[in-house]
Amino acid sequence: QSALTQPASVSGSPGQSITISCTGTSSDVGSYNLVSWYQQHPGKAPKLMVYEGSKRPSGVSNRFSGSKSGNTASLTISGLQADDEADYYCCSYAGSLYVFGTGTKVTVL
Amino acid sequence: EVQVVQSGAEVKKPGEALKISCKASGYSFTNYWIGWVRQMPGKGLEWMGIIFPGDSETRYSPSFQGQVTMSADKSISTAYLHWSSLKASDTAMYYCVSLYASGNWGQGTLVTVSS
């Protein structure tokens, strides 16, 4: 299983919207509606932001939204805030195991 | 309340054995998969594998097959990750993840392997 492909970095100004892509294959992202997204601040454990493609856990801001088209999942952060600056990872079920994305560093300009 | 609590940081020498633990509570431990995730210093997240505590079925990611052993003790709702002979390259943070509901992560166990 190969890691899902994410852009290494994405940046935006406060208040803007950004989108992080996560490209897999028909064996993972394309076959299951089981993509999750994690936010990780330096030195901290990952925090679940979106699961099952587009669902948000209780307590996660509705500024975070997930979607999928074919073999590519996306995380959109609207109304970008300083605290959104972190690393983001997608994760997909792949039939018998799970696979993470390569990770994206989000910078708030 | 669901809780996933991992054992504390470890400092070991190359060649030594190590077993770290992950205790889950607040749900039926035997009915949900537990996964292990590695994060090497400055690097991304990697799934190592998953174990089903109900029958100890294990599934290892190809990169970790033969390198580590996952196990679980149903009687104390605890999962384990074991190395028989550590290498310096095993230095990393290891996270335990319960796949109950939308997923519940432990706080991580830092393993440092150095001579």
Side-chain angles (χ1 to χ4, degrees):
Chain A
Q1 288 152 324
S2 298
L4 309 175
T5 301
Q6 299 180 231
S9 62
V10 173
S11 61
S13 298
Q16 285 187 329
S17 292
I18 62 169
T19 297
I20 303 168
S21 62
C22 169
T23 301
T25 69
S26 58
S27 297
D28 39 61
V29 175
S31 286
Y32 307 96
N33 199 27
L34 291 173
V35 175
S36 51
W37 289 89
Y38 293 89
Q39 176 193 67
Q40 187 179 36
H41 285 110
K44 301 294 187 182
K47 176 186 177 182
L48 182 67
M49 306 304 285
V50 168
Y51 68 102
E52 294 180 7
S54 59
K55 298 178 181 179
R56 277 187 306 275
S58 174
V60 172
S61 170
N62 58 9
R63 297 186 300 105
F64 293 84
S65 61
S67 63
K68 190 185 88 167
S69 177
N71 295 337
T72 298
S74 299
L75 176 72
T76 297
I77 309 174
S78 58
L80 202 60
Q81 298 178 358
D83 190 52
D84 298 334
E85 185 161 295
D87 293 325
Y88 291 81
Y89 297 91
C90 61
C91 176
S92 176
Y93 182 65
S96 60
L97 284 167
Y98 293 82
V99 59
F100 281 111
T102 49
T104 298
K105 182 174 181 56
V106 168
T107 301
V108 181
L109 302 171
Chain B
E1 179 195 5
V2 176
Q3 286 193 313
V4 179
V5 180
Q6 298 184 229
S7 50
E10 301 274 2
V11 180
K12 292 289 189 179
K13 290 180 166 46
E16 291 186 331
L18 174 65
K19 180 184 280 190
I20 62 175
S21 67
C22 166
K23 182 171 178 59
S25 60
Y27 71 97
S28 178
F29 178 73
T30 54
N31 289 342
Y32 297 88
W33 294 84
I34 293 268
W36 289 95
V37 173
R38 182 177 78 174
Q39 187 167 38
M40 300 176 75
K43 301 299 184 183
L45 303 173
E46 303 172 89
W47 272 104
M48 302 176 70
I50 54 177
I51 181 168
F52 190 73
D55 60 8
S56 289
E57 177 185 349
T58 54
R59 300 175 183 175
Y60 294 92
S61 294
S63 300
F64 295 93
Q65 179 79 49
Q67 307 304 306
V68 294
T69 302
M70 297 181 295
S71 62
D73 185 336
K74 293 186 289 189
S75 67
I76 54 173
S77 299
T78 300
Y80 300 96
L81 185 63
H82 175 248
W83 293 261
S84 59
S85 180
L86 286 161
K87 301 185 282 288
S89 57
D90 292 318
T91 294
M93 180 71 82
Y94 293 88
Y95 293 102
C96 166
V97 186
S98 162
L99 299 183
Y100 169 75
S102 55
N104 301 271
W105 288 58
Q107 80 278 20
T109 296
L110 180 62
V111 174
T112 303
V113 184
S114 174
S115 54

